[in-house]
Amino acid sequence: EVPLFSNSPGHLEFRGDGLRVRIEAQPFDHPKWVKRSHGIWMLEDQTLLGWSPGESHSRLGRLEIVVDGYVVDLPTAAWSDVFDAPLRREDLPFASVMRSRDGVRTYVHLQAGDAEDASMVTWVFERDRYLYRVVDPLP
């Protein structure tokens, strides 16, 4: 596990052994743009992860991974559909960063949403390269 270095209601930063992961979320002020279609929350024809009914919303604004001084090229589409991620509550982070024993693979886990549509998103990196992400619904 990579230790949490700093946090606020809008960010989490993990650091350890030449690795830095920063996750940021900003308020999303346009909830009327989001529509539900066939049981799926959509924004401009993009499926949303974690959208929770209610008045207040946030959207992931940054997911940055730096390995040994190199910023990993991460497509915006790999994180821009994540909404209402509860980054932390009462100093408990709702994300974690794990690294394989040999340091080759890095896993970033983040909860998207807080209601019935909540998911766990895992981004997988190998050395300084993004591989893929996995989205698992939370029970």
Side-chain angles (χ1 to χ4, degrees):
E1 187 170 356
V2 178
L4 181 63
F5 176 77
S6 68
N7 67 84
S8 73
H11 95 282
L12 296 172
E13 186 167 313
F14 300 85
R15 288 189 187 181
D17 291 333
L19 175 69
R20 182 174 64 82
V21 176
R22 185 168 178 95
I23 304 166
E24 294 179 6
Q26 284 83 32
F28 181 72
D29 297 327
H30 306 288
K32 291 183 179 177
W33 295 358
V34 175
K35 305 293 181 204
R36 191 166 179 103
S37 175
H38 304 286
I40 299 170
W41 293 103
M42 305 284 291
L43 174 65
E44 297 176 352
D45 297 325
Q46 180 183 28
T47 301
L48 304 184
L49 296 176
W51 184 265
S52 302
E55 298 288 321
S56 177
H57 297 280
S58 65
R59 183 178 196 175
L60 225 56
R62 179 180 190 184
L63 176 56
E64 180 180 73
I65 290 76
V66 180
V67 178
D68 296 326
Y70 294 98
V71 178
V72 175
D73 184 25
L74 180 62
T76 304
W79 53 266
S80 64
D81 60 345
V82 177
F83 281 77
D84 296 339
L87 296 184
R88 74 176 178 112
R89 287 209 183 105
E90 299 174 14
D91 291 329
L92 176 68
F94 278 68
S96 63
V97 176
M98 304 292 181
R99 219 168 178 192
S100 62
R101 290 190 195 277
D102 60 8
V104 173
R105 286 237 170 147
T106 301
Y107 306 89
V108 178
H109 308 282
L110 174 72
Q111 181 176 321
D114 212 12
E116 63 187 39
D117 293 321
S119 300
M120 180 60 70
V121 184
T122 302
W123 292 270
V124 181
F125 301 86
E126 192 170 87
R127 292 185 177 83
D128 60 355
R129 189 170 56 102
Y130 168 67
L131 296 178
Y132 56 87
R133 78 173 187 186
V134 177
V135 178
D136 292 311
L138 290 175

